Amino acid sequence: MAKIIAIANQKGGVGKTTTAINLAASLAALEFKTLLIDADPQANSTSGLGFDPKNIEVGVYECMMDPEDTQKNIMETDIEDLDLLPSNIELVGAEVEMVNIAEREERMKKALREVRNYYDFIIIDCSPSLGLITVNALTAADSVIVPVQCEYFALEGLGKLLNTIKIIQTRLNPDLEIEGILLTMYDLRLRLSNQVVEEVKKHFQAMVFETIIPRNIRLSEAPSFGVPVIAHDASSKGAISYLNLANEIIEQNGIAAQG
């Protein structure tokens, strides 16, 4: 049965989608059967894997409205062992439409109940908000990764997110754990980057992943080619960092290597 990991931070521009795509692809490269769920109406994970969101007729939204549809809406990607449950513009209206639905916070959990048996990992790319879709993702997840950029306002809003996670643990998903805080967009040359790393590690200690994701040209370029960085340039610092992150997650979960 799949381990479900949500990638969440209500701040935009912290490397959330980059992490979702490249962690999922790295797990697949290590021969773990992986499903990436694009739970963001901007559909950047969908386009980042080479699909045009305008051509997506069914996706996460339809699965949340009718959980029986999930399996048939999953798409194969060009990366072996990596599948995608895509997003489209319809997801924008989901929060409004779900307001009056019973157990509205558990729609995604229900949608994944059957398919999680087919995968080793399910990675959910959340939208940059703490709305109903993100609450659904955190209710469905076993754990959450919080990307934090190595920039001046790094810790801003983090308390709010951690408070939301506590509320979900109390009311909706007592088994939800924090997989780790992931430092992203690290620039070795900048004193500020190093200060942020020190500050985050001081505040959160063992919760912080050892792997730090650097600023990397190849990492930035890959989405424009519709591929993860491991398919764009496997020897780049970005690709190696996400493989290291995947290995760190496998190790801390005590999962045996594939193959």
Side-chain angles (χ1 to χ4, degrees):
M1 185 182 283
K3 166 132 196 180
I4 303 177
I5 304 175
I7 317 285
N9 192 331
Q10 79 274 23
K11 269 175 73 86
V14 297
K16 192 170 44 56
T17 296
T18 299
T19 295
I21 291 172
N22 291 295
L23 173 58
S26 295
L27 289 166
L30 295 169
E31 297 183 11
F32 290 93
K33 187 76 178 150
T34 305
L35 173 65
L36 175 60
I37 297 177
D38 191 349
D40 183 350
Q42 295 175 80
N44 289 337
S45 277
T46 301
S47 60
L49 285 177
F51 298 95
D52 185 346
K54 294 190 191 77
N55 297 331
I56 301 294
E57 293 181 7
V58 287
V60 175
Y61 167 78
E62 286 75 17
C63 296
M64 290 171 75
M65 289 297 146
D66 183 0
E68 304 298 316
D69 277 355
T70 307
Q71 184 67 56
K72 66 185 182 202
N73 292 344
I74 290 171
M75 305 167 74
E76 289 186 1
T77 73
D78 291 336
I79 309 292
E80 193 172 350
D81 287 327
L82 179 60
D83 290 346
L84 173 71
L85 183 54
S87 181
N88 59 19
I89 197 67
E90 297 292 334
L91 196 57
V92 172
E95 300 206 358
V96 177
E97 290 189 33
M98 286 165 58
V99 165
N100 298 316
I101 293 177
E103 298 178 328
R104 61 184 180 271
E105 297 92 352
E106 299 189 5
R107 303 300 291 183
M108 191 176 294
K109 186 176 184 178
K110 287 179 180 170
L112 298 181
R113 197 165 282 158
E114 294 299 319
V115 300
R116 71 180 298 178
N117 294 318
Y118 300 105
Y119 295 96
D120 299 306
F121 287 96
I122 296 175
I123 307 295
I124 308 175
D125 180 17
C126 299
S127 63
S129 77
L130 294 177
L132 191 52
I133 305 296
T134 299
V135 169
N136 260 269
L138 294 174
T139 303
D142 298 309
S143 66
V144 55
I145 291 173
V146 182
V148 173
Q149 84 282 34
C150 295
E151 290 174 3
Y152 185 70
F153 293 114
L155 297 178
E156 189 185 70
L158 204 50
K160 193 175 177 184
L161 175 64
L162 295 176
N163 191 46
T164 299
I165 290 168
K166 273 186 193 158
I167 291 167
I168 286 166
Q169 286 168 328
T170 305
R171 298 182 188 171
L172 296 164
N173 185 0
D175 299 324
L176 181 66
E177 297 177 344
I178 295 176
E179 191 74 30
I181 291 171
L182 177 67
L183 290 157
T184 64
M185 304 181 189
Y186 175 71
D187 189 334
L188 182 66
R189 300 163 301 176
L190 297 181
R191 184 190 296 174
L192 178 62
S193 277
N194 294 302
Q195 286 172 342
V196 170
V197 170
E198 283 175 30
E199 193 177 354
V200 172
K201 285 188 172 176
K202 185 175 78 180
H203 274 81
F204 299 104
Q205 298 167 0
M207 285 167 66
V208 184
F209 284 111
E210 282 181 33
T211 303
I212 296 176
I213 308 300
R215 282 196 179 277
N216 180 247
I217 296 291
R218 292 287 184 255
L219 207 47
S220 304
E221 285 174 351
S224 65
F225 292 94
V227 294
V229 70
I230 200 167
H232 181 52
D233 183 352
S235 63
S236 66
K237 283 184 181 175
I240 291 163
S241 297
Y242 277 110
L243 274 170
N244 289 342
L245 176 64
N247 278 311
E248 195 174 338
I249 289 167
I250 290 160
E251 197 174 311
Q252 73 184 27
N253 281 281
I255 297 167
Q258 302 290 292

